[in-house]
Amino acid sequence: MQAITVIAIAGFLIAGSLALAPRRVGVDGFFDGRDQDHLAPGLWTLVLSQVTTWIFARSLMNAAVLGYFYGFAGTLAYTAYYGSFLTGGFIVARLRATGARSVQDWLKQQFGALGTGCYNAVIGLRLLSEVFANLLVVGLIFAAVLPDVAGVSTISILTVSVVALAYSALGGLRASLRTDVLQMSVFLVVFGAALMALLGSSGFDFGEILRAQGTAGSTNGWILLLVAFLQVFSYPAHDPVMMDRGFLADSKTTKRSFIYAFFLSVVCIFGFGMFGIQAGLIGAEYQGELIGTWAGMFPPWVFAALMISLLVSALSTLDSALSSAARLCIDELRLLPRSVGNGRIIMVGFVVLGVLLTLWGNKSLFDAVAVSGTASMFLTPVLLVALVWGRVVPRWSYVVAFAASMLGALAYFLRDVPLVAAMLPEGHKYEQLLVICIVVLTVGFAAVLFGSYRAARLVEIEQG
């Protein structure tokens, strides 16, 4: 029965998304999200779109898995990443105050093609990881719901890929904004029901949730919390989905949307994390990123609600990632002329690559967050010193900060390679990640501050 329920609601979402996607859309609608009257999206369209694209399937699973292993500290650590709505809103406001219309626009003013080239390389990988990771969760969902169907994981990945591509290609960013409202509304209803069931269950104790140490102890959860604090300033700046939505409406509407999105997303992500914490508290066995665990923990309708929540979030993130990918390749990289047809070509390319990556052996959902979050950390010293402080940062400083962050991300990704492992401190991978983040920030700030000081001294010498 739960399989029928999940498939039926998935069919409703697919049909609704296809129905809401505009059949005819101009270039402004496809790339900038404008409606037929060339009007910007309203406040709640922005809020729901921001939340549903950040409460994506991978994030929900990360919060739950970290809660299972590291208890309250693990879920709190992942929830801390959603402070990105506050830091992201701050960055957007500062960028708009300079007259910039995107992060790339500002970087080009400061560092030329070199600045945008480094940044675009990072966000291209970020977008590809979004497509890959959410398709991976789709496979996990249907493998758990239909365990006796051979090849169901691959079939579901291909089906959802085609569907997401279909309605995304119809209307681009305009379609993404419209379908996000439907998808987030369904998510809030379905997940809200599941959460109420958890909170009202006889074995649930919120005090126990707050004291939970997890099945592996809370130490590494607290370490991840420190990592989140180190990455939370740069993290939103390298997320093109969030940054794209920071330049669609007027400044007042945009500011409010980021604040509202922060509170709503924190409630959702921590709420989902509690399902993982609860599984650890009752001693449930860990199976298939917790999906198999929940199947035996909860009544069928609660399990179905959780699966639908994951499926909704996967769909909403896929269409947003594809619309941002089209904008990146057409507007920023200028790989093809700006047209709806060329935007659709880019979308097809990202979907194909994402599907191929699901065949790759790495199934760790948090690794993609850790790697991309570390790669983005070159933006922290650059944005704080150049954008917030208003100091001149030379290009060599930018390059050094970028190189440090990329080497740090690569070191974490290749941490099991003997040569790399010999350079890292012994300990848990999250302890290694914390050390890498500290080194990346130290090198980045040293290069940017020294470069800024040298640039200011040269100006003084020339003027004096």
Side-chain angles (χ1 to χ4, degrees):
M1 182 64 184
Q2 65 187 19
I4 296 174
T5 302
V6 171
I7 293 171
I9 294 182
F12 165 76
L13 282 170
I14 289 168
S17 297
L18 286 168
L20 283 174
R23 295 297 178 269
R24 298 180 63 183
V25 64
V27 173
D28 286 346
F30 193 90
F31 292 100
D32 302 325
R34 301 277 174 172
D35 63 16
Q36 63 271 20
D37 298 319
H38 302 286
L39 298 177
L43 173 63
W44 283 104
T45 296
L46 274 181
V47 171
L48 295 178
S49 180
Q50 286 176 323
V51 174
T52 193
T53 51
W54 259 59
I55 301 292
F56 37 77
R58 184 186 70 188
S59 288
L60 294 173
M61 292 310 307
N62 281 336
V65 170
L66 292 174
Y68 178 86
F69 284 115
Y70 311 119
F72 171 74
T75 290
L76 181 64
Y78 203 77
T79 305
Y81 275 99
Y82 287 76
S84 293
F85 278 111
L86 301 181
T87 55
F90 172 77
I91 291 168
V92 164
R94 296 304 292 255
L95 289 172
R96 293 180 66 144
T98 69
R101 294 301 305 163
S102 66
V103 178
Q104 290 97 327
D105 192 12
W106 181 79
L107 287 172
K108 188 172 183 179
Q109 295 171 16
Q110 300 292 316
F111 308 106
L114 177 68
T116 56
C118 294
Y119 177 79
N120 287 334
V122 172
I123 67 170
L125 292 173
R126 161 80 178 179
L127 286 169
L128 190 56
S129 77
E130 292 307 308
V131 177
F132 150 68
N134 283 281
L135 287 177
L136 192 63
V137 175
V138 168
L140 292 171
I141 293 169
F142 282 95
V145 173
L146 299 168
D148 299 325
V149 178
V152 67
S153 178
T154 301
I155 294 170
S156 63
I157 287 173
L158 292 174
T159 302
V160 170
S161 299
V162 171
V163 169
L165 176 62
Y167 73 80
S168 299
L170 279 174
L173 182 54
R174 181 61 190 157
S176 178
L177 291 168
R178 293 179 66 172
T179 56
D180 283 348
V181 174
L182 167 68
Q183 291 159 355
M184 190 60 196
S185 299
V186 172
F187 175 88
L188 289 174
V189 171
V190 174
F191 176 61
L195 184 60
M196 290 300 103
L198 174 67
L199 298 177
S201 62
S202 58
F204 181 83
D205 184 331
F206 191 69
E208 289 295 317
I209 293 289
L210 297 180
R211 293 188 294 271
Q213 300 296 303
T215 59
S218 63
T219 300
N220 289 315
W222 296 116
I223 290 172
L224 275 181
L225 182 61
L226 293 176
V227 171
F229 284 142
L230 293 178
Q231 294 186 349
V232 75
F233 186 80
S234 62
Y235 201 83
H238 94 300
D239 184 273
V241 173
M242 179 183 284
M243 290 295 102
D244 285 352
R245 282 155 178 72
F247 296 89
L248 300 179
D250 62 87
S251 297
K252 183 178 179 181
T253 299
T254 300
K255 179 180 179 180
R256 291 169 64 195
S257 73
F258 274 89
I259 294 172
Y260 294 173
F262 164 72
F263 287 109
L264 184 56
S265 64
V266 163
V267 170
C268 291
I269 205 73
F270 189 82
F272 208 92
M274 286 196 296
F275 284 91
I277 297 174
Q278 183 70 3
L281 284 173
I282 67 174
E285 291 295 324
Y286 182 85
Q287 300 177 51
E289 298 288 351
L290 284 182
I291 292 178
T293 301
W294 288 332
M297 275 181 58
F298 299 115
W301 77 267
V302 175
F303 177 70
L306 291 174
M307 296 305 97
I308 292 164
S309 300
L310 288 170
L311 187 59
V312 171
S313 60
L315 271 174
S316 65
T317 303
L318 283 169
D319 62 48
S320 295
L322 293 177
S323 62
S324 288
R327 184 186 175 281
L328 168 67
C329 294
I330 301 295
D331 284 355
E332 303 300 341
L333 296 177
R334 302 188 186 280
L335 298 180
L336 295 169
R338 197 177 203 249
S339 71
V340 172
N342 287 334
R344 289 168 176 164
I345 291 173
I346 298 299
M347 288 182 173
V348 171
F350 268 77
V351 167
V352 170
L353 288 172
V355 171
L356 291 176
L357 280 174
T358 61
L359 305 176
W360 178 42
N362 190 338
K363 303 297 184 183
S364 176
L365 294 174
F366 184 74
D367 273 2
V369 176
V371 170
S372 69
T374 304
S376 75
M377 293 181 75
F378 75 99
L379 292 166
T380 298
V382 171
L383 291 172
L384 285 174
V385 175
L387 180 64
V388 179
W389 194 10
R391 306 281 294 205
V392 174
V393 175
R395 293 185 185 185
W396 72 262
S397 297
Y398 180 85
V399 171
V400 170
F402 174 75
S405 67
M406 293 304 290
L407 287 172
L410 193 62
Y412 184 75
F413 183 70
L414 300 176
R415 62 188 177 274
D416 293 328
V417 174
L419 179 62
V420 177
M423 295 186 287
L424 295 174
E426 292 186 7
H428 191 273
K429 63 180 180 179
Y430 296 153
E431 294 174 323
Q432 294 175 331
L433 178 60
L434 178 60
V435 171
I436 288 171
C437 290
I438 291 171
V439 171
V440 166
L441 281 180
T442 300
V443 173
F445 270 108
V448 169
L449 289 173
F450 180 72
S452 176
Y453 169 77
R454 288 279 297 168
R457 286 291 297 156
L458 287 174
V459 171
E460 290 176 5
I461 291 171
E462 290 175 0
Q463 292 177 347

